[in-house]
Amino acid sequence: MKRPLSVFFLTSEVLPVVKTGGLADVSAALPAALSEEFGDEIDIRIGTVGFKGVERLPGFRLLKTFITRTPAGAMTIRILEGRLSKGNVPVYAVDPEGMFNREELYGENGTEYPDNLERFSAWNHALLHLPAVVGFFPDILHANDWQTALSIPLLPHVIRPSLAVTPMKTLLSIHNLAFQGVYPLDQWHLTGLPSSYNRFDGLEYHGRLSLLKGGIQFADCITTVSPSYREEVLSEPGGFGLSGALRHRRESFYGLLNGIDAHEWNPETDQYLPIQFSRAKIGKKSALQKKLRQEWGLNSRAPKPLFGVVSRMTHQKGAGLLAEAIYSMGLEDDLREDWVILGSGDPSLEDLWERIQRIFPGRIRVKTGYDEPLAHRIIAASDFLVIPSVYEPCGLTQMYAMRYGTIPLVNPTGGLRDTVESEKTGFWFEELTIAGIKKGLKKARALYHDQEGFDSMRQRAMAVESSWKNRTREYENLYRTLLSSPHGTNTVP
Ligand code: ADP
Ligand code: GLC
């Protein structure tokens, strides 16, 4: 047996505590898969937020309360302990004085909470104190996105302030470069970092401070969630202003493709489906679709394809462009397919979709809001899942769709390019324009009416192996390489 290694996995989102996007799925599925694959060789534990209602989650209980200094003053920190729903991975939900006991995680009605730097910084400080409080001494600190990036430069100052030496190796995983945790410099004191970090090769970013940039500069190594996205962010506009910082760390920057939770997303056992099915019994998928159509009032007489969308309604996801493409198709030929749309996000895009629904009654049904069971049902019951993302670090829904025999139609960017094979397991839009999307939709329509072609594409899509099981090895290797390599020059003197 290899020497056991221990990892403290820091994330602001994890199912079942709180989810706004794919980060929550990955933060549950990757640690669970690592623990399942490597057993006692990896002791991985998750540090997340003490979000509203966490104490009522099955199996969660108050473990410890302690008082610590944070940049915003002394705070009482509660640690609630639970487990992931599958497997035995411990989850520590850390609550600095109720700062995460709110309706939402980051903000409401499209506006960020004004005290986010104070909240996330206090929480990062508390997370760094947690190992000593619970008696867990990790080899590796694995941070995710801007929300936990501050922990990386902060680590030596919180854990061994007198020596300012990093006691653990650090890894930063970037799930989306568009979100960077950028704040005015006059809030610097809230980070708790010495002002020597306020420089171009520190956290300084165009006259402001960037938490994500801090993580990029000081992590021992960096990953992002697909090989193609890694390439895209090394230049602009993909790097959202951080391509230079990433190029500087190029040798320690890897693109590791995300996987999916093959237990949670399995058409044979999916708890949210009234009718389950398999590759061999794909015929049952039509019964599931019929039920969904009836419930949603989509009662077509002639056989028609059902297109689904499950997505944040934002510019990134191409939500506006898709609405316009559908509108234009409708004007052209009165829509020869049905649509079920589930999404939430930008209020103006939600509005636009509501309007599209009113223009095509009985053809398009839109539900705005967040609904996990419905997400499973739409992905399972649709014939096609449409994902016209402007950029996509990895994307998970296309992999979920393929597993359910639902053909993904994607803009081939980032992880969408790496996971969907054009004309084999899905379709690539030739260009991300109204015309390009319409062309792709028409191709899908034609395939639907070619029974043999449609069936074989569905079979190929369902055979694609996307589970984390085969992808955890890359993380294990990286953790081991990190352990055996010397520390980088990752502190500012
Ligand atoms: P991103 O993280 O950029 O939003 P991903 O494809 O990685 O994109 O992950 C999105 C996750 O959120 C998937 O699990 C998807 O099913 C889910 N999801 C998106 N919108 C909704 C919604 N309105 N209701 C329920 N689940 C949603
Ligand atoms: C981000 C990205 C998405 C990715 C997810 C999980 O939310 O936008 O593409 O799949 O993180 O890594």
Side-chain angles (χ1 to χ4, degrees), residues 41 121 124 144 151 212 244 250 256 295 297-298 319 324 398 453:
E41 281 178 23
S121 172
N124 273 248
N144 289 276
S151 68
L212 188 67
R250 188 178 211 136
L256 305 187
E295 281 169 23
L298 297 166
E324 288 179 55
Q398 78 281 10

Side-chain angles (χ1 to χ4, degrees), residues 22-23 26 175-176 225 258 312 316 392-396:
L23 174 63
V26 170
H175 298 259
N176 194 334
V225 290
N258 277 340
R312 285 185 289 119
Q316 177 196 342
E392 195 61 77
C394 181
L396 299 171

Side-chain angles (χ1 to χ4, degrees), residues 237-253:
F240 283 90
L242 286 177
S243 62
L246 286 166
R247 279 199 303 280
H248 185 65
R249 300 298 321 272
R250 188 178 211 136
E251 303 299 313
S252 317
F253 179 34

Side-chain angles (χ1 to χ4, degrees), residues 195-210:
S195 55
S196 50
Y197 282 79
N198 176 8
R199 54 192 226 191
F200 175 69
D201 55 355
L203 276 70
E204 193 277 331
Y205 180 73
H206 301 294
R208 295 195 284 170
L209 70 92
S210 159

Side-chain angles (χ1 to χ4, degrees), residues 186-324:
D186 63 11
Q187 293 188 19
W188 182 273
H189 60 285
L190 290 175
T191 63
L193 280 173
S195 55
S196 50
Y197 282 79
N198 176 8
R199 54 192 226 191
F200 175 69
D201 55 355
L203 276 70
E204 193 277 331
Y205 180 73
H206 301 294
R208 295 195 284 170
L209 70 92
S210 159
L211 300 179
L212 188 67
K213 184 175 174 193
I216 293 173
Q217 300 286 12
F218 300 107
D220 290 308
C221 102
I222 305 160
T223 64
T224 189
V225 290
S226 70
S228 289
Y229 189 60
R230 178 189 178 275
E231 294 311 307
E232 290 167 20
V233 300
L234 287 172
S235 55
E236 299 301 331
F240 283 90
L242 286 177
S243 62
L246 286 166
R247 279 199 303 280
H248 185 65
R249 300 298 321 272
R250 188 178 211 136
E251 303 299 313
S252 317
F253 179 34
Y254 306 92
L256 305 187
L257 192 60
N258 277 340
I260 64 171
D261 184 333
H263 303 294
E264 192 64 24
W265 292 90
N266 179 351
E268 295 180 44
T269 53
D270 192 323
Q271 47 165 339
Y272 297 121
L273 302 186
I275 300 166
Q276 291 150 347
F277 59 97
S278 63
R279 207 172 150 204
K281 296 207 169 120
I282 196 165
K284 286 188 175 177
K285 190 175 153 101
S286 343
L288 185 67
Q289 186 177 113
K290 196 167 162 201
K291 224 168 151 33
L292 189 79
R293 280 175 181 277
Q294 276 165 359
E295 281 169 23
W296 282 54
L298 297 166
N299 290 314
S300 318
R301 269 194 225 104
K304 274 184 176 179
L306 182 66
F307 286 77
V309 176
V310 175
S311 169
R312 285 185 289 119
M313 281 189 182
T314 60
H315 169 73
Q316 177 196 342
K317 300 293 177 180
L321 205 55
L322 179 60
E324 288 179 55

